[in-house]
Amino acid sequence: MTCSQGVPLQERQMVDRNLSVAIVGAGLMGHGIGQVFARAGHRVVLTDPAPDVLARAIPRVEQNLRAEGVDPAGVTCNMAAEPDLRSAVANVDLVIEAAPEKLALKHRIFTEVAAAAPSHAILASNTSVIPITRIGEPLDAGARGRLVGTHWWNPPHLIPLVEVVRSEHTRMDVFEQTFAWLAAVGKAPVKVHRDVAGFIGNRLQHALWREAIALVADGVCDAEAIDTVVKNSFGLRMPVLGPMENADLVGLELTRDVHRVLFPELHDEKTHSPLLDRLIAQGHAGMRAGQGLRQWTPAAAEGVSRRLATHLIRMLKTDAEGG
Ligand SMILES: NC(=O)c1ccc[n+]([C@@H]2O[C@H](COP(=O)([O-])OP(=O)(O)OC[C@H]3O[C@@H](n4cnc5c(N)ncnc54)[C@H](O)[C@@H]3O)[C@@H](O)[C@H]2O)c1
């Protein structure tokens, strides 16, 4: 098996050569993000201060690839694990930080990365919700200009979307180049022109969760009913019909009429639901605890991740085959 040699020519766009990429934080997101670049033929160095996480990162990539029926050897030959952060970023074109969601930690990491990475390197954070402008606070103007948000979705090797976020200081060429690299490795990037909390996807997703949790808290239905409704109605349409397409499909007059009746009734609280506080205080913190909004046996919880991966792989294969 030869090592994967990079993206096909017609997709190269602004990728004029194979890249060297460092992933800082090789946990759940980091190992999968590294996999995407390595599979496209780019050189990837993973770094993580936790020796067990770092040791498991490339085996996790192998496992992901086998689940897709891909021989891992041609991909992992592009990957290396390096415990020292400074060495990992010393010779790269792109650094993607996927460390825990703590601002002080991200400040420390980017201060170190900016000092050790080449001056041309693009610096990206995979933060879920922290504004990129805040992450860049301790950096000098040059490094701030090279800092951009790349918000991947879990599992990053299977979910196509990456939100590319421009901070108040991100240079336009850095923004465009990051977008082009992500498109060239097969992702579906979107441009987020303003550094708003939650970017696009999490704002949409959590607007839905706020209403769903409130309906359960109000006794309108149970949590299972919420999942049944979504999975058997608009959730089925969403892979082929986004909400803007859907609004145009039903027509904007109907959309306006629905909003006139519904918007005054929808929940618009500015804080999280007290139901979450109550469940957490009772130890019902979610799947890992055996109970959250719903009840979970270990087998049921394990089944969810497996079903999700199988579903995504099948959908992506169908898409690739033009089905
Ligand atoms: N989990 C998700 O679904 C998801 C989705 C999108 C974005 N994110 C974001 O991605 C980031 C990582 O999340 P995750 O779920 O992969 O977390 P994770 O805990 O699985 O991985 C984080 C890794 O960072 C390592 N780390 C800690 N300190 C470090 C340091 N100083 N330098 C380098 N690495 C360090 C940890 O050892 C750990 O292995 C967070 O900002 C998170 O908000 C997560």
Side-chain angles (χ1 to χ4, degrees), residues 271-284:
T271 58
H272 65 273
S273 168
L275 174 61
L276 293 181
D277 286 334
R278 276 203 302 282
L279 288 170
I280 292 163
Q282 289 163 7
H284 301 326

Side-chain angles (χ1 to χ4, degrees), residues 24-25 27-29 48-49 53 98-101 106 126 128 151-152 154:
V24 178
L28 180 68
M29 297 301 290
D48 198 297
V53 175
E101 189 75 344
K106 292 188 191 290
N126 185 47
S128 300
H151 180 230
W152 298 63
N154 182 43

Side-chain angles (χ1 to χ4, degrees), residues 14-25:
M14 292 167 78
V15 185
D16 49 10
R17 66 199 157 84
N18 282 359
L19 298 172
S20 194
V21 182
I23 310 292
V24 178

Side-chain angles (χ1 to χ4, degrees), residues 131-134 136-137 141 144-145 147-149 165-172 192-196:
I132 306 305
T133 307
R134 293 215 59 199
E137 275 164 1
R144 280 183 187 174
L147 179 67
V148 64
V165 186
R166 190 169 185 208
S167 82
E168 288 168 24
H169 310 290
T170 310
R171 282 183 355 222
M172 188 48 102
V192 185
H193 296 282
R194 271 186 44 217
D195 200 3
V196 291

Side-chain angles (χ1 to χ4, degrees), residues 28-260:
L28 180 68
M29 297 301 290
H31 84 277
I33 294 170
Q35 174 180 330
V36 171
F37 284 95
R39 191 168 174 182
H42 303 299
R43 182 92 199 118
V44 172
V45 186
L46 300 165
T47 186
D48 198 297
D52 55 325
V53 175
L54 195 57
R56 274 195 300 122
I58 294 176
R60 283 172 96 176
V61 169
E62 290 171 343
Q63 201 179 352
N64 295 341
L65 290 163
R66 282 200 197 95
E68 285 189 70
V70 173
D71 182 349
V75 175
T76 54
C77 56
N78 286 325
M79 302 183 86
E82 166 57 63
D84 181 61
L85 172 69
R86 287 177 167 258
S87 309
V89 304
N91 272 309
V92 298
D93 307 297
L94 172 64
V95 178
I96 301 184
E97 168 271 321
E101 189 75 344
K102 294 192 168 53
L103 181 59
L105 175 65
K106 292 188 191 290
H107 279 168
R108 280 204 303 281
I109 289 174
F110 277 107
T111 302
E112 208 173 330
V113 165
S119 60
H120 75 277
I122 290 182
L123 315 178
S125 174
N126 185 47
T127 175
S128 300
V129 289
I130 304 173
I132 306 305
T133 307
R134 293 215 59 199
I135 292 176
E137 275 164 1
L139 305 182
D140 64 28
R144 280 183 187 174
R146 290 185 283 120
L147 179 67
V148 64
T150 54
H151 180 230
W152 298 63
W153 289 66
N154 182 43
H157 60 288
L158 295 177
I159 302 271
L161 180 69
V162 183
E163 293 168 284
V164 183
V165 186
R166 190 169 185 208
S167 82
E168 288 168 24
H169 310 290
T170 310
R171 282 183 355 222
M172 188 48 102
D173 62 313
V174 166
F175 190 51
E176 296 289 353
Q177 180 69 83
T178 307
F179 184 92
W181 281 342
L182 289 164
V185 295
K187 303 313 282 184
V190 294
K191 290 178 185 168
V192 185
H193 296 282
R194 271 186 44 217
D195 200 3
V196 291
F199 316 126
I200 303 169
N202 269 328
R203 288 177 87 98
L204 296 173
Q205 179 168 244
H206 288 278
L208 175 66
W209 290 18
R210 174 169 62 186
E211 189 62 33
I213 292 168
L215 288 170
V216 174
D218 288 352
V220 175
C221 61
D222 60 17
E224 188 179 347
I226 298 281
D227 290 336
T228 303
V229 166
V230 174
K231 289 195 260 183
N232 290 285
S233 62
F234 61 85
L236 282 176
R237 295 192 299 233
M238 281 191 160
V240 291
L241 191 70
M244 302 293 90
E245 290 170 318
N246 202 347
D248 279 346
L249 177 70
V250 299
L252 297 188
E253 285 174 18
L254 174 59
T255 301
R256 184 177 59 188
D257 290 344
V258 169
H259 288 183
R260 275 197 181 124

